[in-house]
Amino acid sequence: MILVGLLAPAGAEDWPAYRRDNFRSARSTELVEAERLAVDWQWSSPLPPAPAWPGPAKWDSYAQIKGMKSMRNYDPVFHPVVADDRVYFGSSADDTLRCLSLEDGKLRWQFTADGPIRCAPTVAEARVYFGSDDGHAYCLDAADGRLLWKFRPGDDSALVLNNGRLISYWPCRSGVLVQDGTAYFACSLLPWKNSYLCAVDAITGKPEGEGRYVKEYEGLTIEGPMASTAGVLVSPQGRDAPRIYRRSDGAELGTLKGGGGSFLIVTEDARVLHGPGNKLGWITDSAAASGDELARHQNANSMLVTQNRSYMVTDTELIATDLSRKEVVFRVPCRHSLALASARETIFAGGIDEVAAYNGANGELLWRHPVDGKVYGLAVAGGKLLAATDVGRLYFFDEQPAAV
């Protein structure tokens, strides 16, 4: 396998995809004065998120292990993205994609699909892309929500009962990744039925032209947002480790070592961080070129990687490591263990009923604010913070004027 490409951030003010970019870096170049953040507006869903899977097993009776991690925790909240002063997010509760004003949270438009929307949308070239459990990938006009196209591979007349809903045998639970004019997504659910890896023209929605295809695979369960670089797609596989596909033709290039899970980052130096493994959980650091396991980050729930430093959060600590020296820079107590995002040297962390900010240089707690629910979704845009919780709340934090 070959994995190349440098991190190419989106617009300086935007967070237009899940974890901001196709690397799923969760890193912004914005300067945020965390100490001045306060809630400017909130949005609340009448119904909480309805995740596709109920969570981890209660315990492993054979190995006598409790506190297991979920392998398919990709939709606990309505993950928001931000582009052109608008907030976009889909709902697994009422099947609706919404566009809100970033300034005041007021509804600009909404579009309802025929099934739950589980992954964050992607905004590219004034279009919004997303997948649904109804088996389609969608493209809407970002300004007014008009349907531009929708696509599903193969015959999709049969339905299956999942999470109390009748859905397609081939739901689109990968989200839609857009790169170089092509929209990539997968339709997959049951390993005993074929899965589809799709690459369609981002403008027309058709699998026509060079680098466009519909590939059919057996024995897969593709669930959770994919990541990409110049040459490959990296796809979560539920309980199994992620697989690598060549972007140009969809050919499978191999499977990474380590455990499964829906957490995924592609780093600038051709490594893939994925987890939370199995049993008690960990994040595996793999070389994409060989698939070999390079390191294992025990007890990690989420991670960030910069050019010279990694950050990981466990159930009890935030730990920063110097990558060149392979030495721990700091480890500080941290109860915000569910999600991470960064804005320059500020590290935002989501916890239970609270969101917080830490100094990325020394681990100092800079700011924290109460919220309702578990914070699994974070986005930074224009010096502002969005936090999404598992009770269906979206909080917008803006910087307040400095005291005179």
Side-chain angles (χ1 to χ4, degrees):
M1 306 174 207
I2 299 176
L3 182 66
V4 295
L6 297 176
L7 182 65
E13 298 292 326
D14 289 344
W15 189 284
Y18 177 68
R19 290 179 61 90
R20 190 171 186 263
D21 49 45
N22 291 344
F23 292 85
R24 311 310 182 193
S25 72
R27 291 166 46 196
S28 171
T29 59
E30 293 296 321
L31 175 64
V32 179
E33 296 187 48
E35 298 92 332
R36 292 172 52 194
L37 290 176
V39 175
D40 193 46
W41 55 259
Q42 299 181 42
W43 181 89
S44 297
S45 170
L47 296 171
W53 304 103
K58 299 300 181 183
W59 68 304
D60 185 327
S61 59
Y62 179 80
Q64 297 294 304
I65 295 176
K66 297 183 179 181
M68 299 174 69
K69 303 294 184 180
S70 173
M71 299 294 101
R72 297 181 175 94
N73 193 32
Y74 52 86
D75 60 343
V77 302
F78 306 143
H79 288 286
V81 302
V82 181
D84 297 324
D85 296 321
R86 297 184 180 98
V87 182
Y88 302 88
F89 59 94
S91 170
S92 57
D94 65 7
D95 312 344
T96 298
L97 187 105
R98 291 178 171 84
C99 171
L100 308 183
S101 166
L102 183 64
E103 180 181 2
D104 56 19
K106 292 183 178 179
L107 181 69
R108 301 288 293 269
W109 56 260
Q110 62 184 33
F111 176 93
T112 301
D114 291 323
I117 302 169
R118 302 201 172 277
C119 297
T122 296
V123 184
E125 301 296 332
R127 294 173 173 83
V128 184
Y129 301 83
F130 66 96
S132 168
D133 275 9
D134 65 18
H136 288 89
Y138 288 83
C139 175
L140 309 179
D141 186 295
D144 57 20
R146 286 183 299 112
L147 176 65
L148 300 178
W149 57 257
K150 65 178 182 178
F151 179 87
R152 70 180 182 190
D155 177 24
D156 197 15
S157 58
L159 300 176
V160 63
L161 185 65
N162 175 248
N163 193 36
R165 295 288 303 275
L166 285 172
I167 66 166
S168 167
Y169 268 109
W170 296 274
C172 181
R173 294 179 172 177
S174 63
V176 180
L177 184 153
V178 181
Q179 189 163 340
D180 300 331
T182 300
Y184 301 90
F185 53 93
C187 296
S188 173
L189 177 64
L190 304 172
W192 56 87
K193 285 189 173 290
N194 290 353
S195 297
Y196 297 95
L197 179 66
C198 306
V200 303
D201 187 298
I203 303 300
T204 67
K206 297 179 179 180
E208 299 174 351
E210 184 177 357
R212 279 64 183 265
Y213 48 81
V214 174
K215 298 284 288 188
E216 199 167 343
Y217 285 104
E218 297 180 353
L220 303 185
T221 58
I222 305 174
E223 295 184 85
M226 298 186 292
S228 78
T229 68
V232 303
L233 298 170
V234 187
S235 171
Q237 301 289 323
R239 294 181 61 86
D240 295 331
R243 296 194 182 197
I244 308 291
Y245 302 89
R246 190 162 52 222
R247 272 207 309 128
S248 61
D249 59 7
E252 185 180 358
L253 301 179
T255 302
L256 300 177
K257 294 181 174 62
S262 55
F263 178 83
L264 189 64
I265 299 175
V266 177
T267 70
E268 298 177 40
D269 57 349
R271 300 180 354 255
V272 181
L273 299 174
H274 55 97
N278 300 332
K279 307 297 184 182
L280 293 177
W282 64 85
I283 290 178
T284 302
D285 187 341
S286 296
S290 63
D292 291 340
E293 180 177 322
L294 303 176
R296 182 174 292 192
H297 303 276
Q298 294 289 354
N299 303 315
N301 294 328
S302 185
M303 292 189 69
L304 291 170
V305 179
T306 66
Q307 289 185 338
N308 52 25
R309 189 173 286 193
S310 71
Y311 299 90
M312 87 175 197
V313 65
T314 71
D315 288 344
T316 59
E317 290 184 305
L318 173 64
I319 303 169
T321 301
D322 185 290
L323 296 176
S324 59
R325 301 197 309 267
K326 297 183 179 180
E327 296 177 352
V328 173
V329 178
F330 66 76
R331 56 193 314 152
V332 297
C334 176
R335 64 187 186 189
H336 310 100
S337 61
L338 304 179
L340 290 176
S342 69
R344 295 196 187 180
E345 288 197 352
T346 299
I347 306 298
F348 292 102
I352 300 175
D353 296 325
E354 196 170 68
V355 63
Y358 293 81
N359 186 317
N362 56 27
E364 176 189 1
L365 178 63
L366 301 175
W367 167 87
R368 60 186 183 181
H369 198 284
V371 296
D372 185 11
K374 298 178 180 178
V375 181
Y376 284 103
L378 296 168
V380 180
K384 304 167 178 60
L385 174 69
L386 282 161
T389 75
D390 67 345
V391 299
R393 294 276 182 90
L394 186 63
Y395 294 84
F396 175 72
F397 295 91
D398 200 354
E399 294 178 2
Q400 302 303 303
V404 178

